[in-house]
């Protein structure tokens, strides 16, 4: 069995779905954050796969963008999580609901 | 000529701006020097224009300065029209206005609002001069509204007095009713002729061959609508009610605005529109009937009024009625002639009464006057000249003009019956009666003032008395420019005005000439004799009652019902209040306020507010603060978009 780019696409879909479900069902903010990273990387994988399949370099460029964005997001997101924890003494997202209505 | 004419109205405007903006910090002397200087030079320019106009021997001069409004095929120019009619009006307005400015120095000297008064007076001069100079109806309307505004401001000059500010509002609102008719008339005129320019309209009437309308044609409707405007401004039945109340203003204002100039704007406007009116006999009949009824009606109210200025106010209404009677029988030049002489003698009467009022420290009730002849000799003498003039005693100005009107209404070519003449003659009797009553009660008989008060009475300053003297001379000799035919002298005035009526239909002009010429020679003299006898009768009655019997205003109360009815002005104000004002109030409160405003307008606005609020409460539920639910919504949305894209992709 030859490994084709389609495998990577399927893998990326599986990873993305896991990430999405994880974001939806977990309550700890750091875990949610990690699942988001997983989703981003799943998307990266599919970009690479299609880039290879179509023989175009565009997808790889997008991946670099996403990586940079992810790094920035981690920096800001972790900072926010730190502040939330200091103020609320919890990271349960269901308890962080002061912005409702 | 172009630059000369524009300066005539611009100068008073400059005076208004100077005094209005900086007047507070000016010394009093500078204030009146500016005001009188500007109107004085303006009057001088009018005189120069007059002689230039005479030397030019033209029918009319039209000068357009710039296009004022342009919209589609509607064009209104800022332009002036100089013809004999506007020339006469210019002379009267600027001349009498100038004199009254001088008089005001003495009268208003101790008043707080000295600069305000002169600023308003100058603004009035500007508006009135624009009114008479305008070469189209729209610019005329600007002046028309401008003088209305000044009238309002000056009636309410003592605004801290409630009665004065009420009177100002009344004048403004009543005029608004008339103006409504006027504006509708203007619209109809533009709709018919596609223009509001005097010359364009009149020439197109002639060119398109509009004949004399037998029924209610478009010209008749326009004429009636314009006349509604005139009833407001010129205080005719049914809109005269504001004028007597306008006496709340300072006396020079009553003289200038509410007697000599502004109130005659309606007469001027109708004379200006003679091309329309001469083709609308129905409208003419209405004008004449309203005019002659007003002449008689207002005169009767004058008999029992106690306030010296109110007598003169009703007298003004009555005299304006005469002018409209003249217009109603197409004796346009006679109407303008009476306008001119009336400007002299009525301004004089008001200024004289102002002199009396000032001397008596603002006492206006004739019950408390009497025997003032000794103390105010110049005022008394000059007022006598005006009284003789208004009563139609021969030689004095009013005799010629009033007689001309009575004569022309006797031979009325429009309807051919005598109603205008009879009403006018009876009014002439009453005019003589109430004017002599006023004079007898004020200047003759025993003084009814306390010794202490009487010792303070003294003749007015020179600036005032000199104006009285000039006006007295004009009231005496002013009539000689329009001598009737039987005297053998030419009627200079009528001849001068003749070019103004060149747009009248030929048929009507020749008919008018025929009617006037075909009268038997002695008939006009007979009519004149009748009016002299009638005036004499009025004088006699007044003499018997107020000199021989020494009756006083309070003795008149014995007449009971009639006295009460007339003293209370036939309860017209009360009737208007009951039939017009109360229904409007009721309608405004119960319909416009409680239904239209509260229920409909507020309902719509509040309804939107409630709708928004209701929708937001529903939408706000989604924002529940659970991040995971937000993510869920995002996922749902993402799936939705994805579904849409895939669907399109498959297709």
């Amino acid at each position: 069995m030859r490994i084709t780019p389609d495998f990577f696409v399927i893998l990326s879909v599986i990873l993305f779905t896991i990430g999405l479900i994880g974001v939806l069902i977990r309550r700890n903010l750091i875990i949610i954050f990690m699942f988001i990273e997983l989703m981003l990387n799943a998307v990266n994988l599919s970009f690479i796969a299609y880039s290879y399949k179509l023989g175009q370099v565009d997808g790889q460029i997008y991946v670099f963008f996403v990586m940079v964005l992810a790094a920035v997001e981690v920096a800001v997101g972790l900072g926010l999580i730190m502040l939330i924890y200091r103020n609320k003494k919890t990271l349960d997202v269901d308890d962080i609901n002061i912005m409702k209505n | 000529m172009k630059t000369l004419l524009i300066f005539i109205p611009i100068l008073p405007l400059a005076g208004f701006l100077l005094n209005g903006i900086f007047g507070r910090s000016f010394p009093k002397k500078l204030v009146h020097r500016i005001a009188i200087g500007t109107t004085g030079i303006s009057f001088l320019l009018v005189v120069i224009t007059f002689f230039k106009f005479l030397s030019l021997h033209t029918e009319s001069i039209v000068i357009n300065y710039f296009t004022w409004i342009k919209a589609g095929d509607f064009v209104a120019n800022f332009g002036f029209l100089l013809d004999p009619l506007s020339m006469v009006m210019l002379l009267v307005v600027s001349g009498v206005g100038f004199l009254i400015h001088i008089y005001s120095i003495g009268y208003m000297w101790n008043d707080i609002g000295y600069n305000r008064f002169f600023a308003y007076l100058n603004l009035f001069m500007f508006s009135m001069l624009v009114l008479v100079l305008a070469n189209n109806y729209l610019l005329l309307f600007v002046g028309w509204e401008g003088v209305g505004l000044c009238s309002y401001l000056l009636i309410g000059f003592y605004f801290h007095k409630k009665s004065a500010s009420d009177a100002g509002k009344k004048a403004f609102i009543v005029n608004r009713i008339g103006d409504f008719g006027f504006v509708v008339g203007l619209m109809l005129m533009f709709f018919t002729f596609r223009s509001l320019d005097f010359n364009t309209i009149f020439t197109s009437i002639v060119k398109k061959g509009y004949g004399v309308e037998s029924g209610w044609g478009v010209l008749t409707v326009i004429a009636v609508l314009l006349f509604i405007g005139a009833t407001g401004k010129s205080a005719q039945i049914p809109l005269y009610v504001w004028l007597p109340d306008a006496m709340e203003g300072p006396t020079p204002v009553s003289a200038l605005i509410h007697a000599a100039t502004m109130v005659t704007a309606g007469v001027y406007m109708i004379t200006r529109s003679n091309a329309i009116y001469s083709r609308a006999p129905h409208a003419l009949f209405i004008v004449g009937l309203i005019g002659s009824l007003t002449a008689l009606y207002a005169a009767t109210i004058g008999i029992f009024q106690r306030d010296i200025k109110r007598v003169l106010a009703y007298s003004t209404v009555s005299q304006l009625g005469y002018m409209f009677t003249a217009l109603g029988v197409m004796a346009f030049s006679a109407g303008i002639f009476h306008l001119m002489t009336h400007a002299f003698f009525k301004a004089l009467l008001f200024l004289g009464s102002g002199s009396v009022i000032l001397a008596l420290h603002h006492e206006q009730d004739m019950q408390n006057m009497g025997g003032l002849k000794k103390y105010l000799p110049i005022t008394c003498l000059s007022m006598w000249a005006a009284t003789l003039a208004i009563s139609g005693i021969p030689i004095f100005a009013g005799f010629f003009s009033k007689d001309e009107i009575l004569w022309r209404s006797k031979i009325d070519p429009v309807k051919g019956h005598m109603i205008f003449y009879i009403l006018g003659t009876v009014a002439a009797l009453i005019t003589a009666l109430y004017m002599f009553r006023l004079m007898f009660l004020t200047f003759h008989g025993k003084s009814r003032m306390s010794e202490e008060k009487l010792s303070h009475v003294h003749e007015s300053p020179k600036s005032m008395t000199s104006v009285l003297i000039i006006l007295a001379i004009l009231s005496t000799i002013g009539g000689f420019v329009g001598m009737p035919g039987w005297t053998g002298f030419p009627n200079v005035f009528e001849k001068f005005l003749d070019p103004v009526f060149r747009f009248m239909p030929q048929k009507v002009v020749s008919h008018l000439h025929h009617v006037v010429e075909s009268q038997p020679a002695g008939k006009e003299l007979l009519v004149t004799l009748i009016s002299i006898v009638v005036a004499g009768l009025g004088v006699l009655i007044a003499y018997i009652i107020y000199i021989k019997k020494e009756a006083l205003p309070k003795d008149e109360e014995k007449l009971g019902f009639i006295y009460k009815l007339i003293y209370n002005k036939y309860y017209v104000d009360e009737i208007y209040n009951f039939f017009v004002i109360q229904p409007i109030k009721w309608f405004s409160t119960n319909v416009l306020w409680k239904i239209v405003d509260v229920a409909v307008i507020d309902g719509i606005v509040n309804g939107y507010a409630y709708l928004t609020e209701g929708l937001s409460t529903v939408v706000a539920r989604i924002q529940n603060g659970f991040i995971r639910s937000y993510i869920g919504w995002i996922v749902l949305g993402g799936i939705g978009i994805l579904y849409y894209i895939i669907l399109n992709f498959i297709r």
Side-chain angles (χ1 to χ4, degrees):
Chain A
M1 191 172 85
R2 266 191 84 231
I3 307 260
T4 57
D6 296 347
F7 283 81
F8 293 95
V9 174
I10 291 163
L11 177 62
S12 125
V13 169
I14 292 166
L15 283 174
F16 188 86
T17 317
I18 292 170
L20 189 61
I21 291 168
V23 168
L24 283 173
I25 62 172
R26 296 308 295 258
R27 289 156 70 174
N28 189 305
L29 208 51
I30 293 181
I31 306 286
I32 290 173
F33 203 64
M34 285 159 70
F35 278 117
I36 291 172
E37 290 300 315
L38 187 62
M39 286 160 74
L40 283 169
N41 283 306
V43 173
N44 280 351
L45 191 57
S46 73
F47 268 126
I48 299 288
Y50 277 111
S51 170
Y52 179 76
K53 188 182 179 182
L54 300 172
Q56 285 179 341
V57 82
D58 305 27
Q60 301 183 21
I61 293 168
Y62 277 116
V63 170
F64 282 115
F65 275 109
V66 174
M67 280 168 149
V68 172
L69 274 174
V72 174
E73 185 225 334
V74 168
V76 177
L78 282 176
L80 286 172
I81 289 169
M82 290 279 285
L83 281 175
I84 289 168
Y85 184 72
R86 263 188 218 162
N87 283 313
K88 306 279 286 189
K89 298 287 169 208
T90 174
L91 282 177
D92 189 336
V93 286
D94 287 359
D95 290 341
I96 306 167
N97 59 1
I98 47 165
M99 295 284 277
K100 69 177 170 187
N101 292 334
Chain B
M1 206 59 145
K2 194 169 177 179
T3 36
L4 191 67
L5 266 188
I6 190 75
F7 272 104
I8 292 171
I10 286 291
L11 279 169
L13 181 67
F16 159 69
L17 290 175
L18 272 176
N19 273 337
I21 298 170
F22 308 111
R24 232 172 236 275
S25 48
F26 286 167
K28 279 185 173 181
K29 273 197 173 148
L30 186 61
V31 167
H32 70 236
R33 270 181 199 154
I34 290 171
I36 290 164
T38 50
T39 41
I41 297 170
S42 163
F43 173 58
L44 207 69
L45 293 179
V46 169
V47 174
I48 295 169
T49 315
F50 177 60
F51 285 112
K52 260 193 163 174
F53 183 77
L54 282 185
S55 66
L56 283 173
H57 297 288
T58 50
E59 286 178 335
S60 71
I61 300 166
V62 178
I63 300 164
N64 277 318
Y65 290 96
F66 55 88
T67 306
W68 172 34
I69 297 174
K70 197 170 178 211
D73 63 345
F74 175 81
V75 179
N77 285 320
F78 186 90
F80 289 162
L81 167 70
L82 192 68
D83 70 346
L85 179 59
S86 44
M87 204 62 246
V88 170
M89 291 302 290
L90 275 181
L91 283 168
V92 170
V93 169
S94 63
V96 175
F98 174 56
L99 288 175
I100 290 172
H101 269 75
I102 296 174
Y103 175 93
S104 305
I105 302 173
Y107 192 84
M108 300 301 289
W109 187 251
N110 292 321
D111 220 284
I112 312 162
Y114 197 67
N115 66 303
R116 194 159 56 93
F117 180 81
F118 276 104
Y120 289 163
L121 221 54
N122 271 10
L123 181 63
F124 169 78
M125 290 299 289
F126 165 72
S127 313
M128 191 70 201
L129 290 167
V130 167
L131 195 161
V132 298
L133 272 170
N135 76 342
N136 60 65
Y137 278 101
L138 206 65
L139 193 58
L140 182 145
F141 190 62
V142 170
W144 186 274
E145 290 301 296
V147 292
L149 168 72
C150 296
S151 162
Y152 162 76
L153 291 171
L154 285 163
I155 294 168
F157 184 74
Y158 301 118
F159 52 81
H160 46 83
K161 249 166 66 186
K162 182 150 186 347
S163 58
S165 65
D166 280 351
K169 277 186 274 181
K170 187 173 178 183
F172 208 68
I173 292 166
V174 172
N175 266 302
R176 221 43 344 91
I177 300 168
D179 291 344
F180 178 71
F182 193 81
V183 171
V184 175
L186 291 191
M187 287 174 189
L188 184 59
M189 198 153 20
F190 178 71
F191 186 72
T192 319
F193 302 110
R194 312 310 295 172
S195 171
L196 286 177
D197 188 78
F198 289 144
N199 276 344
T200 319
I201 291 176
F202 302 152
T203 41
S204 81
I205 287 176
V206 174
K207 270 196 194 136
K208 285 182 186 161
Y210 281 94
V212 177
E213 290 177 344
S214 54
W216 284 83
V218 67
L219 289 180
T220 311
V221 176
I222 290 173
V224 170
L225 285 169
L226 292 184
F227 179 60
I228 291 172
T231 54
K233 186 105 326 191
S234 296
Q236 296 298 294
I237 292 174
L239 298 180
Y240 70 93
V241 285
W242 66 272
L243 188 59
D245 288 17
M247 299 304 130
E248 290 284 348
T251 310
V253 171
S254 309
L256 178 61
I257 302 184
H258 305 117
T261 54
M262 183 193 86
V263 288
T264 59
V267 181
Y268 164 76
M269 189 268 295
I270 289 180
T271 311
R272 175 61 76 209
S273 319
N274 63 74
I276 297 171
Y277 280 87
S278 58
R279 288 169 172 82
H282 279 62
L284 277 179
F285 182 70
I286 293 172
V287 172
L289 190 67
I290 295 277
S292 50
L293 278 175
T294 310
L296 178 61
Y297 170 82
T300 57
I301 301 178
I303 303 176
F304 289 139
Q305 294 305 310
R306 280 189 184 185
D307 185 327
I308 185 166
K309 277 178 80 181
R310 273 190 185 264
V311 177
L312 294 175
Y314 281 107
S315 155
T316 305
V317 176
S318 164
Q319 296 299 313
L320 288 166
Y322 270 112
M323 294 175 210
F324 280 103
T325 314
L327 304 181
V329 296
M330 282 199 275
F332 295 110
S333 60
I336 294 294
F337 186 31
H338 196 58
L339 184 161
M340 185 185 82
T341 56
H342 175 254
F344 298 150
F345 61 67
K346 189 51 65 65
L348 174 51
L349 284 172
F350 268 113
L351 296 183
S353 77
S355 174
V356 171
I357 291 166
L358 194 68
L360 303 189
H361 301 283
H362 296 275
E363 173 64 68
Q364 303 196 359
D365 192 342
M366 290 193 289
Q367 175 69 35
N368 304 327
M369 294 181 184
L372 292 172
K373 188 174 57 174
K374 296 206 284 258
Y375 303 92
L376 307 167
I378 303 175
T379 307
C380 174
L381 204 66
S382 53
M383 272 185 89
W384 267 116
T387 304
L388 294 173
I390 193 176
S391 310
I393 305 299
I395 299 177
F396 290 91
F399 165 71
F400 294 108
S401 55
K402 192 188 274 183
D403 209 53
E404 177 87 7
I405 292 173
L406 288 177
W407 162 239
R408 293 294 292 268
S409 52
K410 171 84 174 62
I411 56 168
D412 176 12
V414 182
K415 285 279 163 180
H417 45 66
M418 304 253 295
I419 178 160
F420 300 163
Y421 174 68
I422 294 165
L423 289 171
T425 310
V426 178
L429 184 139
I430 299 171
T431 305
L433 172 62
Y434 70 67
M435 278 317 299
F436 276 76
R437 166 180 176 267
L438 182 145
M439 293 305 286
F440 289 150
L441 284 176
T442 310
F443 292 104
H444 299 270
K446 283 194 206 80
S447 173
R448 297 180 290 280
M449 298 174 69
S450 60
E451 283 296 324
E452 191 262 330
K453 255 187 160 179
L454 213 50
S455 60
H456 292 297
V457 174
H458 52 81
E459 183 62 285
S460 302
K462 274 221 175 66
S463 66
M464 288 164 73
T465 48
S466 54
V467 170
L468 295 181
I469 292 165
I470 295 171
L471 282 170
I473 294 168
L474 285 172
S475 305
T476 312
I477 62 165
F480 291 127
V481 292
M483 299 278 256
W486 53 266
T487 50
F489 290 102
N491 192 333
V492 188
F493 195 82
E494 202 176 330
K495 215 167 220 104
F496 179 62
L497 277 182
D498 224 27
V500 179
F501 311 112
R502 64 187 184 279
F503 297 112
M504 274 164 69
Q506 208 50 51
K507 211 173 72 186
V508 173
V509 175
S510 53
H511 176 64
L512 271 176
H513 273 289
H514 172 73
V515 169
V516 176
E517 312 270 303
S518 67
Q519 299 299 324
K523 202 173 166 190
E524 187 172 0
L525 196 59
L526 187 71
V527 169
T528 308
L529 285 176
I530 290 172
S531 43
I532 293 172
V533 168
V534 161
L537 202 64
V539 176
L540 194 69
I541 296 170
Y543 181 77
I544 291 170
I545 297 174
Y546 296 102
I547 293 287
K548 277 271 148 103
K549 299 245 171 104
E550 295 186 337
L552 294 177
K554 66 171 196 276
D555 299 327
E556 289 158 355
E557 285 166 22
K558 286 174 204 150
L559 285 171
F561 175 71
I562 300 171
Y563 171 80
K564 261 191 147 166
L565 183 69
I566 294 179
Y567 182 75
N568 291 307
K569 310 142 206 165
Y570 299 102
Y571 296 99
V572 167
D573 278 337
E574 283 76 7
I575 293 169
Y576 280 4
N577 184 41
F578 185 78
F579 284 105
V580 180
I581 296 168
Q582 292 307 332
I584 289 176
K585 265 190 180 165
W586 182 89
F587 185 75
S588 308
T589 322
N590 292 322
V591 179
L592 292 180
W593 174 33
K594 286 187 177 156
I595 294 177
V596 175
D597 189 45
V598 173
V600 178
I601 296 176
D602 286 4
I604 290 170
V605 175
N606 291 340
Y608 273 117
Y610 287 133
L611 193 71
T612 316
E613 200 187 350
L615 273 176
S616 354
T617 34
V618 173
V619 177
R621 289 222 182 104
I622 299 168
Q623 193 183 359
N624 52 11
F626 293 112
I627 295 174
R628 293 183 307 145
S629 104
Y630 295 169
I631 297 168
W633 285 109
I634 293 171
V635 170
L636 272 179
I639 290 169
I641 292 168
L642 211 61
Y643 176 75
Y644 179 76
I645 290 171
I646 290 167
L647 212 66
N648 272 324
F649 188 69
I650 291 166
R651 219 181 269 155

